[in-house]
Amino acid sequence: DAGVIQSPRHEVTEMGQEVTLRCKPISGHDYLFWYRQTMMRGLELLIYFNNNVPIDDSGMPEDRFSAKMPNASFSTLKIQPSEPRDSAVYFCASSLRTSGKYEQYFGPGTRLTVT
Amino acid sequence: SQQGEEDPQALSIQEGENATMNCSYKTSINNLQWYRQNSGRGLVHLILIRSNEREKHSGRLRVTLDTSKKSSSLLITASRAADTASYFCATVSIYNQGGKLIFGQGTELSVKP
């Protein structure tokens, strides 16, 4: 398996622009997680899905952030409009909970810079 | 918000020495996991210990869990330069069956050849 795939790997955008981050989880996994990592706040869970349904979005910072999972093999995290404080590395991870396992498999991340 | 606290924040050792990292957490857990992150990369799962376990081994890794003190430690024996990375503990609450992970701040390990 190719692992969790994220695109783009790097994104530089100007304040006010819309940013869309993409994730393809490991085939067959039933949970998908979006995290954000910054030096100041460390790793934060933003939202997670179970079988494409959002379960907990309490970590989403504000209405500018939205996430979707239209099918089992694709998810997006959108920021509109973007702000400099959104600069961070965004990780997607997936897991196979129905097998009783809790381990999460992380993608390589998208480094977002908002100027 | 982050639940875990890790100690030390940074650790520098010589190749061949053992490295010990500690993690404390606040709520009741189903399990605790350790992840490694190499610079500029995603996190890699290392080992999971369940709340009813006290010690677990995997290769050169040894993890202990003390639920009464809400703490865990990760020991890497006979360290290698390739072990240089950041190490994070992450907990899964007993109240969350989805496996939502709460991460600690991490320990930055540097192993000098």
Side-chain angles (χ1 to χ4, degrees):
Chain A
D1 200 313
V4 175
I5 299 171
Q6 290 186 249
S7 64
R9 292 294 310 277
H10 302 273
E11 177 81 41
V12 180
T13 190
E14 292 183 348
M15 184 174 65
Q17 296 298 307
E18 177 180 296
V19 175
T20 299
L21 311 182
R22 297 173 176 78
C23 174
K24 176 179 168 56
I26 292 173
S27 178
H29 280 194
D30 54 354
Y31 276 80
L32 183 140
F33 304 82
W34 281 100
Y35 293 89
R36 178 172 68 175
Q37 185 177 35
T38 61
M39 290 295 292
M40 291 296 295
R41 299 177 65 87
L43 272 157
E44 303 174 280
L45 176 67
L46 301 177
I47 185 171
Y48 74 94
F49 296 82
N50 174 218
N51 291 327
N52 315 338
V53 176
I55 301 300
D56 183 351
D57 65 355
S58 60
M60 296 286 260
E62 46 197 278
D63 292 346
R64 297 184 298 106
F65 286 69
S66 63
K68 293 182 180 179
M69 192 164 185
N71 57 63
S73 59
F74 184 64
S75 177
T76 59
L77 178 67
K78 187 175 293 186
I79 308 172
Q80 165 64 14
S82 57
E83 296 182 3
R85 60 192 167 121
D86 301 330
S87 297
V89 181
Y90 291 81
F91 289 103
C92 175
S94 68
S95 69
L96 184 58
R97 282 289 298 118
T98 52
S99 66
K101 295 188 178 297
Y102 286 91
E103 298 92 321
Q104 293 185 18
Y105 296 81
F106 282 74
T110 295
R111 182 174 295 278
L112 173 65
T113 303
V114 184
T115 61
Chain B
S1 63
Q2 299 299 312
Q3 174 180 248
E5 298 282 336
E6 293 188 56
D7 164 52
Q9 289 189 350
L11 179 61
S12 183
I13 59 174
Q14 294 295 131
E15 212 166 23
E17 293 180 341
N18 295 341
T20 299
M21 289 158 267
N22 303 295
C23 166
S24 61
Y25 57 91
K26 295 178 183 175
T27 63
S28 298
I29 63 171
N30 174 291
N31 65 78
L32 183 145
Q33 302 175 40
W34 286 89
Y35 287 79
R36 183 187 74 225
Q37 184 179 32
N38 288 88
S39 181
R41 302 285 189 90
L43 284 78
V44 175
H45 175 83
L46 294 176
I47 193 166
L48 178 152
I49 186 165
R50 298 186 185 275
S51 59
N52 61 352
E53 297 176 312
R54 291 297 166 258
E55 187 171 313
K56 204 159 182 183
H57 297 255
S58 177
R60 294 185 295 113
L61 304 181
R62 173 181 170 248
V63 170
T64 61
L65 179 65
D66 186 335
T67 52
S68 66
K69 294 181 180 178
K70 289 187 166 56
S71 67
S72 173
S73 67
L74 171 68
L75 168 68
I76 303 175
T77 60
S79 63
R80 305 165 181 168
D83 295 329
T84 294
S86 293
Y87 292 81
F88 295 88
C89 70
T91 53
V92 175
S93 166
I94 59 171
Y95 306 109
N96 188 289
Q97 293 307 305
K100 172 179 173 177
L101 288 174
I102 304 297
F103 281 90
Q105 293 294 328
T107 293
E108 199 171 315
L109 173 66
S110 175
V111 182
K112 301 185 187 309

